[in-house]
Amino acid sequence: MTRQNISSGAPWEPIVGYSRAVKVGPYVHVAGTTATGEDGKVVGPGDPYAQTVQTLKNIESALRKAHATLKDVVRTRMFVINIADWEKIGKAHGEFFRDIRPATSMVQVSALISPEMLVEIEADAVIVDE
């Protein structure tokens, strides 16, 4: 099996030493992803729903680079600053995964890397039709 490191182009990837996603065989692991837009700024400040939507779009983009889709996702992990926002975050997650229904977790954390960030999501995928 070969390994493919997938970059989002974020300037901190080489500094920290990580990839947005890593594909090995049919497995794709997407690193913790936030609502960072193409300009490097957080999309939807103060809006957990908007941030979740942008985060999932960023995950979808990483999956495409690995020749995978959201349909291949088998697990997500959501890290949230305020668990009271679970319905807004869950609504956005449901809009992307309603019919796919991966195993998932949502846990509250004390902080993310930037105070504007409210949500961070990881995803694992298995490409069955490779």
Side-chain angles (χ1 to χ4, degrees), residues 108-122:
Q108 181 171 312
V109 296
S110 62
L112 296 172
I113 198 139
S114 172
E116 299 93 6
M117 295 174 180
L118 305 174
V119 179
E120 183 170 324
I121 302 174
E122 297 177 349

Side-chain angles (χ1 to χ4, degrees), residues 75-80 83 89 93 102-108 120-122:
R75 177 119 172 94
T76 61
R77 292 169 198 84
M78 296 179 272
F79 304 96
V80 304
I83 200 70
I89 295 163
H93 188 275
T104 194
S105 304
M106 184 187 300
V107 296
Q108 181 171 312
E120 183 170 324
I121 302 174
E122 297 177 349

